[in-house]
């Protein structure tokens, strides 16, 4: 099918049906010069009735709204006639001007009204009812509109994404175009999330030379920033120089000069680690050094044993109806006397028992303890197993977005620390260096710190692997749990997890336990088996409701990957119905009743609970159910556990279906039943850590569907991507 050609429409906005002030998305009714009125959708910031547009785009057919024109580029043409200007100003586009005031202004200045407002706004005070102060406010508001329009046209001319214009204007304001002419690489500010290739082409269009200092410096910073997504905290200087030279297709000499300039202006930090010269972004260096310093401070802090420690230990055991092993008792005693304690071990080794014992002991010692975990699901699980309220680290630190800079900030820091005598962090393997640094900044000196996790699970999404570094350093107090308790030995889930961790193929032939393997002869058979398990076999034969089953896969791709499985599972678990509203986005149709997942942190989304509690923030990995869809308001009402949030349609890019999810996304969660797709994928994804993590997500039942050779390949593949991180070496200094 031939690709549809771009068309151009020109006309006047008759009505603004919908607009999102954050990202600029809008739905308009456009009166075209041809006489027809059409629906135009796209990124069109600050549209107003009466405004003239020249829109370049393509036609599409919407399932609910019919034929509409999707804008890709546009040019803003200010209204020319007095009547069009009146319509434009009457739409309240300018602060302080409504229909009546607009009529008086246009009556006074006619078709010169907009020129007066832009160049001589003080003259608006000549109109009856407008004071000098109001005239000033009106002029500032109008200049804001003009500035955004000019930036939109500038970006369209240079084929830069329209969404980027919205973010750029928020960051640089009216000077944006002037600043970008001076240095187009200002668009590489981390907050803008601009693609380097597009910015680089834009810069070259403006005449920037290949070895220009602005280009080389931006290239160096981009390489370091880009490699954070691979988990690297720093890069060796020689590797950074070579990678940047390749990116920019120039010699290494200008790159070396750029590095020296960036060091002088303190955007980079150079250090020596294990005899190698390395380079950090300044904030990552500060995070690593600070985490090292705080860990050493926690570790050297010691407390006198509380009076009657052994009696308190016995009371904790009685309260938990357990008998502690020697190792568990040792760990709980250490929690009473140490400023830092690391607890690590695989499934069935008693980490939860120790946590419960420590909390019981701290209550007897009258210590105020806060519990936290990296994700909402991990925090919920921590609450369930301890009986004490736990929160995400972000919520504990009161995360939010600074309204002026648009950057993530935490209300809790060294100036406003947490009011706690002890802090316990679970699922530490998921915590990256920057988040740990923010948490340490908010913990007062003298606070007890307990870190719990399993370093054999997947590393954090963000840079570093601090939990692994702490354990490998060998310099911090740690309790390593290796004994699998008798009760846990009855679980094939637990035993197979440990087998996989040791590189031994899991037991796949046992059909009388909680771990099963169902072979498939084809990818399609694997997918159909998985759907059948979720839709009928497990609910009917084992009494496990579909909502308590989680399908996992190492990969999104393929017939047995999450993308395909989500579509198939939706057809069976939540099929189309005349009573269910829906909304198409990308390749998926979101429907009322769907299980969905938030895929990025959004600190601004407002939520409320049934008890009236109101808060903000839905985070990466939070899973919810679409309760209702309102096509007219273009919103979705989503329930995340006990929180209800309203999304507009422009935020659908933050959601994914969650009937099936990747193993990476499941980390920190526990499900009653897990069905794991093990058919195929890249060697990068078919590894031991992913298989081990998937197995340990299941509480009562795990079923692997697919190929035995895939399970064997994952078990044998112990390769992990090396991360450049210096925390281990710094702790050993």
């Amino acid at each position: 099918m031939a690709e549809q050609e771009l068309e151009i429409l020109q006309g006047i906005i008759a009505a603004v049906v919908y607009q999102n002030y954050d990202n600029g998305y809008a739905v308009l009714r456009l009166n075209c010069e041809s006489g027809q009125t059409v629906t135009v959708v796209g990124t069109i910031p600050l549209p107003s009735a009466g405004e003239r547009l020249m829109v370049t785009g393509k036609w599409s057919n919407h399932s609910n709204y019919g034929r509409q024109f999707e804008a890709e580029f546009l040019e803003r043409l200010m209204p020319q006639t007095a009547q069009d200007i009146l319509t434009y100003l009457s739409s309240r586009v300018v602060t302080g001007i409504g229909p009546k005031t607009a009529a008086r202004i246009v009556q006074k200045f006619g078709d010169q009204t907009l020129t007066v407002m832009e160049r001589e706004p003080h003259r608006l005070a000549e109109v009856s009812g407008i004071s000098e102060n109001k005239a000033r406010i009106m002029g500032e508001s109008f200049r804001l509109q003009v500035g955004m329009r000019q930036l939109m046209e500038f970006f369209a001319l240079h084929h830069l994404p329209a969404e980027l214009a919205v973010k750029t204007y928020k960051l640089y304001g009216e000077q944006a175009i002037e600043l970008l002419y001076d240095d187009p690489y200002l668009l590489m500010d981390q907050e803008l999330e601009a693609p380097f290739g597009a910015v680089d082409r834009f810069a070259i269009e403006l005449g920037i030379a290949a070895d220009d200092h602005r280009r080389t410096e931006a290239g160096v910073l981009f390489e370091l920033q880009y490699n954070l997504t691979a988990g690297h905290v720093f890069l060796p200087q020689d590797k950074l120089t070579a990678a940047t030279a390749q990116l920019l297709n120039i010699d290494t000499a200008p790159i070396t000069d750029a590095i020296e300039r960036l060091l002088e202006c303190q955007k980079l930090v150079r250090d020596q680690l294990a005899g190698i010269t390395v380079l950090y972004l300044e904030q990552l260096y500060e995070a690593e050094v600070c985490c090292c310093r705080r860990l050493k401070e926690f570790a050297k802090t010691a407390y006198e044993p509380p009076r009657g420690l052994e009696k308190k230990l016995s009371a904790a055991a009685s309260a938990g109806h357990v008998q502690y092993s020697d190792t568990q008792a040792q760990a709980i005693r250490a929690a009473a006397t140490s400023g830092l304690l690391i607890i690590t071990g695989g499934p069935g080794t008693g980490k939860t028992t120790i946590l419960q014992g420590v909390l019981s002991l701290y209550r007897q010692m009258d210590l105020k303890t806060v519990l936290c975990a990296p994700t909402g699901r991990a925090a919920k699980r921590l609450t369930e197993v301890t009986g004490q309220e736990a929160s995400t680290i972000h919520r504990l630190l009161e995360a939010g977005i600074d309204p002026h800079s648009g950057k993530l900030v935490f209300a809790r820091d060294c100036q406003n620390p947490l009011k706690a005598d002890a802090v316990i962090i679970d699922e530490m393997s998921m915590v990256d260096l920057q988040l740990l640094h923010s948490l340490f900044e908010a913990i007062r000196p003298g606070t007890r710190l307990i870190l719990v996790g399993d370093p054999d699970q997947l590393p954090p999404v963000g840079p570093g692997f601090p939990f692994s570094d702490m354990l490998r350093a060998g310099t911090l107090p740690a309790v390593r749990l290796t004994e699998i308790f008798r009760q846990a030995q009855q679980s094939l889930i637990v035993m197979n997890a440990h087998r996989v961790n040791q590189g031994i193929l899991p037991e796949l032939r046992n059909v009388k336990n909680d771990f099963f393997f169902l072979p498939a002869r084809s990818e399609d058979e694997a997918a159909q088996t998985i759907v059948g398990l979720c839709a009928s076999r497990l609910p009917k034969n084992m009494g496990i409701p579909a909502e308590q089953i989680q399908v996992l896969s190492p990969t999104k791709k393929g017939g047995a990957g999450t993308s395909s499985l989500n579509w198939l599972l939706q057809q069976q678990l939540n099929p189309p119905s005349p009573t269910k509203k829906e909304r198409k986005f990308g390749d998926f149709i979101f429907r009322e009743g769907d299980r969905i997942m938030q895929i990025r942190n959004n600190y601004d989304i407002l939520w409320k609970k049934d008890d009236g509690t109101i808060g903000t923030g839905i985070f990466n990995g939070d899973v919810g159910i679409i309760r209702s869809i309102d096509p007219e308001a273009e919103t979705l009402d989503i329930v995340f556990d006990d929180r209800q949030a309203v999304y507009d349609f422009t935020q659908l890019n933050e959601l994914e279906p969650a009937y099936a999810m990747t193993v990476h996304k499941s980390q920190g969660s526990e499900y009653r039943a897990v069905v794991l797709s093990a058919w195929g994928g890249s060697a990068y994804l078919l590894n031991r850590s992913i298989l081990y993590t998937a197995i340990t997500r299941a509480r009562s039942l795990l079923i692997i569907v697919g190929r035995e050779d895939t399970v064997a390949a994952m078990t044998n593949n112990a390769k992990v991507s090396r991360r450049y991180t210096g925390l281990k070496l710094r702790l050993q200094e």
Side-chain angles (χ1 to χ4, degrees):
M1 186 177 178
E3 184 177 348
Q4 186 181 350
E5 292 186 3
L6 294 174
E7 293 185 32
I8 298 175
L9 298 181
Q10 186 165 329
I12 295 173
I13 298 176
V16 178
V17 180
Y18 170 82
Q19 65 173 311
N20 181 297
Y21 292 95
D22 289 330
N23 60 20
Y25 181 85
V27 179
L28 313 174
R29 296 290 289 166
L30 190 72
N31 288 338
C32 299
E33 292 182 340
S34 62
Q36 64 179 146
T37 300
V38 302
T39 299
V40 177
V41 300
T43 303
I44 310 170
L46 308 175
S48 301
E51 189 179 358
R52 184 178 294 276
L53 298 182
M54 183 182 293
V55 188
T56 303
K58 298 177 181 177
W59 290 100
S60 68
N61 278 299
H62 190 277
S63 57
N64 290 330
Y65 305 113
R67 194 165 186 252
Q68 57 189 26
F69 194 75
E70 296 183 354
E72 295 190 15
F73 303 102
L74 62 94
E75 184 176 353
R76 319 291 290 254
L77 307 170
M78 295 304 289
Q80 302 295 315
T81 68
Q83 182 57 48
D84 287 346
I85 293 171
L86 176 60
T87 303
Y88 170 68
L89 291 180
S90 296
S91 66
R92 301 186 186 277
V93 65
V94 176
T95 301
I97 299 180
K100 292 182 180 179
T101 305
R104 293 200 302 271
I105 293 173
V106 174
Q107 185 178 12
K108 173 72 175 177
F109 299 110
D111 57 12
Q112 295 299 305
T113 295
L114 298 184
T115 302
V116 170
M117 293 181 68
E118 181 178 1
R119 299 176 185 175
E120 303 175 281
H122 61 276
R123 290 191 59 198
L124 292 174
E126 298 174 14
V127 177
S128 173
I130 299 180
S131 66
E132 291 184 2
N133 185 52
K134 282 185 178 179
R136 179 183 57 78
I137 293 172
M138 292 172 181
E140 289 176 356
S141 175
F142 181 69
R143 282 197 297 274
L144 171 68
Q145 305 290 324
V146 172
M148 177 64 82
R149 284 163 177 74
Q150 290 175 341
L151 188 60
M152 287 290 300
E153 293 167 13
F154 180 72
F155 272 43
L157 179 65
H158 294 284
H159 301 283
L160 289 166
E163 313 86 67
L164 186 58
V166 180
K167 296 178 181 178
T168 303
Y169 197 85
K170 284 185 177 180
L171 190 62
Y172 297 120
E174 293 181 5
Q175 284 84 37
I177 294 177
E178 183 181 344
L179 290 171
L180 291 177
Y181 268 121
D182 184 57
D183 184 0
Y185 292 99
L186 289 174
L187 288 174
M188 291 312 301
D189 185 284
Q190 186 179 350
E191 299 302 315
L192 297 178
E193 299 178 328
F196 183 82
V199 175
D200 200 39
R201 287 191 296 273
F202 166 55
I204 291 170
E205 281 181 22
L206 295 186
I208 298 290
D211 61 352
D212 185 282
H213 73 92
R214 292 165 291 186
R215 185 170 188 254
T216 54
E217 290 170 20
V220 170
L221 293 174
F222 169 75
E223 278 293 339
L224 279 170
Q225 198 71 48
Y226 177 77
N227 275 278
L228 295 181
T229 62
H232 300 307
V233 178
F234 64 80
L235 288 179
Q237 181 165 340
D238 59 345
K239 291 184 179 296
L240 175 61
T241 302
T244 309
Q246 183 177 13
L247 172 73
L248 303 181
N249 195 26
I250 58 175
D251 294 333
T252 58
I255 307 301
T256 301
D257 293 340
I259 288 171
E260 294 304 320
R261 289 191 299 271
L262 290 168
L263 287 165
E264 286 179 16
C265 65
Q266 299 182 335
K267 290 185 178 179
L268 294 184
V269 176
R270 183 156 51 203
D271 204 353
Q272 293 285 322
L273 288 174
I276 299 173
T277 302
V278 301
L279 290 168
Y280 291 80
L281 291 168
E282 190 273 335
Q283 66 268 30
L284 270 297
Y285 177 79
E286 180 185 348
E288 190 170 90
V289 170
C290 174
C291 284
C292 177
R293 174 175 54 80
R294 290 305 307 273
L295 284 166
K296 289 181 176 181
E297 289 173 357
F298 287 124
K300 73 180 181 182
T301 303
Y303 301 92
E304 289 293 324
R307 184 176 299 177
L309 175 57
E310 294 307 313
K311 186 179 291 187
K312 288 179 169 63
L313 191 62
S314 296
S318 297
H321 306 289
V322 296
Q323 184 175 348
Y324 297 130
S325 69
D326 291 343
T327 304
Q328 288 175 323
Q330 172 196 343
I332 298 170
R333 289 190 190 97
T337 59
S338 305
L340 172 67
L341 179 63
I342 300 173
I343 303 171
T344 183
T349 57
K351 295 193 299 293
T352 298
T353 300
I354 291 177
L355 263 183
Q356 292 168 332
V358 169
L359 285 170
S360 176
L361 177 66
Y362 282 175
R363 280 193 291 269
Q364 296 177 69
M365 295 170 63
D366 293 324
L367 298 179
K368 182 181 179 182
T369 307
V370 297
L371 303 179
C372 61
T375 67
R377 287 173 294 165
K380 182 182 178 184
R381 180 167 165 255
L382 184 57
T383 299
E384 291 169 351
V385 300
T386 64
Q388 181 171 325
E389 184 68 26
S391 72
T392 64
I393 297 174
H394 283 87
R395 194 159 287 129
L396 180 67
L397 298 179
E398 300 173 24
I401 297 294
D402 185 301
H404 302 293
S405 67
K407 296 182 179 181
L408 171 66
V409 292
F410 295 107
R412 295 290 181 179
D413 55 18
C414 58
Q415 303 297 322
N416 181 30
L418 297 167
K419 294 177 174 61
D421 301 309
V423 175
I424 297 177
I425 313 171
D426 196 16
E427 294 289 353
M428 266 297 299
S429 63
M430 300 178 67
V431 180
D432 65 47
L433 182 69
Q434 290 172 297
L435 183 57
L436 188 66
H437 175 226
S438 296
L439 180 57
F440 281 178
E441 285 280 280
I443 298 178
R444 296 178 298 190
T447 303
R448 300 164 195 256
L449 181 66
I450 295 182
L451 309 176
V452 185
D454 183 350
D456 294 315
Q457 292 193 31
L458 294 168
V461 174
F465 197 170
F467 192 59
S468 177
D469 284 346
M470 293 176 207
L471 292 166
R472 291 188 300 116
T475 59
L476 301 174
V479 174
R480 298 173 185 264
L481 304 171
T482 56
E483 178 187 356
I484 305 174
F485 287 90
R486 185 177 304 167
Q487 184 178 356
Q489 290 178 16
Q490 307 307 309
S491 168
L492 203 55
I493 292 174
V494 171
M495 300 309 294
N496 273 339
H498 285 276
R499 287 170 68 92
V500 166
N501 211 18
Q502 296 164 23
I504 303 170
L505 187 69
E507 172 57 62
L508 302 179
R509 299 286 178 263
N510 192 321
V511 295
K512 295 182 179 180
N513 210 293
D514 55 3
F515 187 112
F516 300 91
F517 174 72
L518 301 180
R521 290 166 295 184
S522 68
E523 196 170 26
D524 180 64
E525 182 182 333
Q528 293 303 322
T529 299
I530 290 169
V531 173
L533 285 166
C534 297
S536 58
R537 292 169 64 179
L538 294 183
K540 291 178 181 177
N541 300 337
M542 300 191 71
I544 303 176
E547 58 268 20
Q548 295 181 16
I549 305 167
Q550 184 59 57
V551 175
L552 301 179
S553 171
T555 179
K556 292 183 176 182
K557 300 177 180 178
T562 60
S563 295
S564 176
L565 288 171
N566 268 313
W567 187 83
L568 292 170
L569 286 163
Q570 186 196 40
Q571 298 308 302
Q572 290 296 315
L573 301 178
N574 190 31
S577 166
T579 63
K580 293 181 178 179
K581 299 183 181 70
E582 53 188 39
R583 171 72 180 193
K584 188 176 189 302
F585 182 81
D587 296 327
F588 191 78
I589 297 174
F590 289 96
R591 185 173 297 132
E592 291 176 343
D594 274 342
R595 186 192 308 175
I596 54 85
M597 176 172 53
Q598 177 79 11
I599 59 172
R600 67 187 64 170
N601 291 338
N602 187 321
Y603 305 95
D604 291 332
I605 293 181
L606 186 72
W607 53 259
K608 62 180 179 180
K609 296 183 179 181
D610 290 339
D611 63 5
T613 304
I614 296 176
T616 58
I618 302 293
F619 301 111
N620 185 11
D622 285 352
V623 174
I625 301 293
I626 299 177
R627 190 166 71 175
S628 64
I629 297 176
D630 187 335
E632 291 186 6
E634 299 201 328
T635 59
L636 299 87
D637 192 340
I638 303 176
V639 177
F640 296 90
D641 293 325
D642 60 344
R643 294 168 294 149
Q644 175 190 342
V646 177
Y647 285 60
D648 64 55
F649 284 177
T650 63
Q651 294 172 303
L652 287 174
N653 63 338
E654 298 185 12
L655 300 174
E656 280 185 357
Y659 297 104
M661 66 176 69
T662 62
V663 177
H664 278 91
K665 288 290 187 183
S666 74
Q667 196 172 359
S669 300
E670 186 179 75
Y671 311 98
R672 180 178 175 185
V674 167
V675 179
L676 174 64
S677 170
W679 181 259
S682 69
Y684 173 75
L685 292 173
L686 298 182
N687 63 57
R688 186 181 300 171
S689 290
I690 285 184
L691 180 57
Y692 175 76
T693 300
I695 293 171
T696 55
R697 298 310 92 207
R699 182 171 68 250
S700 303
L701 178 68
L702 179 91
I703 301 177
I704 300 179
V705 180
R707 293 161 40 182
E708 187 169 343
D709 61 344
T710 297
V711 178
M714 296 178 79
T715 304
N716 294 328
N717 182 7
K719 293 180 181 178
V720 292
S721 299
R722 180 188 174 191
R723 293 188 170 202
Y724 288 116
T725 166
L727 184 59
K728 172 194 164 189
L729 293 172
R730 295 185 191 282
L731 288 169
Q732 291 174 333
E733 288 177 352

